[in-house]
């Protein structure tokens, strides 16, 4: 299940995610690494497990790039969070918004 800050109470369909990715939306998968190994990686997403997300979103941009091989999003950049069932993606959205991400 996917959760977008633009619509915090609305889940996204797979097709909506594909359309957003064409617009260079950063897709953060907050599943655990073992889940990625077991169920597969979503193409063009970066994996930041939910337990690491708060720290990751507060990193120095250089450190974020080294750790995740991705440019750190600014607080106004569009970001989509995903997980297996939707609960963690909604928590991730709450964390990001509490840090000032819009």
């Amino acid at each position: 299940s996917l959760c977008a800050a633009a619509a915090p109470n609305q889940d996204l369909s797979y097709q909506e995610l594909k359309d957003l990715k064409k617009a260079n939306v950063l897709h953060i998968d907050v599943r655990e690494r073992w889940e990625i190994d077991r169920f597969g990686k979503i193409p063009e997403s970066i994996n930041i497990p939910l337990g690491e997300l708060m720290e990751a979103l507060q990193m120095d941009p250089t450190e974020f790039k080294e750790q995740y091989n991705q440019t750190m999003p600014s607080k106004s950049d569009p970001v989509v969070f995903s997980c297996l069932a939707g609960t963690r993606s909604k928590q991730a959205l709450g964390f990001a918004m509490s840090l000032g991400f819009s």
Side-chain angles (χ1 to χ4, degrees):
S1 189
L2 308 162
C3 187
N9 297 315
Q10 177 183 350
D11 289 338
L12 293 174
S13 70
Y14 178 71
Q15 186 59 51
E16 289 169 319
L17 175 63
K18 283 178 67 174
D19 292 343
L20 283 171
K21 285 182 163 231
K22 291 177 189 169
N24 293 322
V25 170
L26 178 62
H27 178 190
I28 299 176
D29 186 336
V30 295
R31 293 178 294 162
E32 296 297 322
R33 287 184 178 86
W34 70 265
E35 291 176 281
I36 303 291
D37 292 341
R38 183 171 179 188
F39 300 110
K41 182 181 187 304
I42 299 169
E44 299 172 17
S45 68
I46 63 169
N47 176 232
I48 305 176
L50 186 63
E52 295 176 20
L53 186 66
M54 286 289 280
E55 182 181 339
L57 293 178
Q58 297 177 80
M59 283 180 171
D60 173 80
T62 303
E63 186 181 356
F64 187 94
K65 176 83 171 170
E66 289 171 5
Q67 177 84 21
Y68 300 107
N69 198 30
Q70 174 74 42
T71 302
M72 184 171 177
S74 74
K75 295 198 177 193
S76 62
D77 285 343
V79 178
V80 172
F81 298 102
S82 67
C83 63
L84 194 60
T87 302
R88 289 174 288 179
S89 61
K90 286 179 176 57
Q91 286 181 293
L93 175 60
F95 290 163
M97 293 179 83
S98 75
L99 293 172
F101 284 80
S102 58

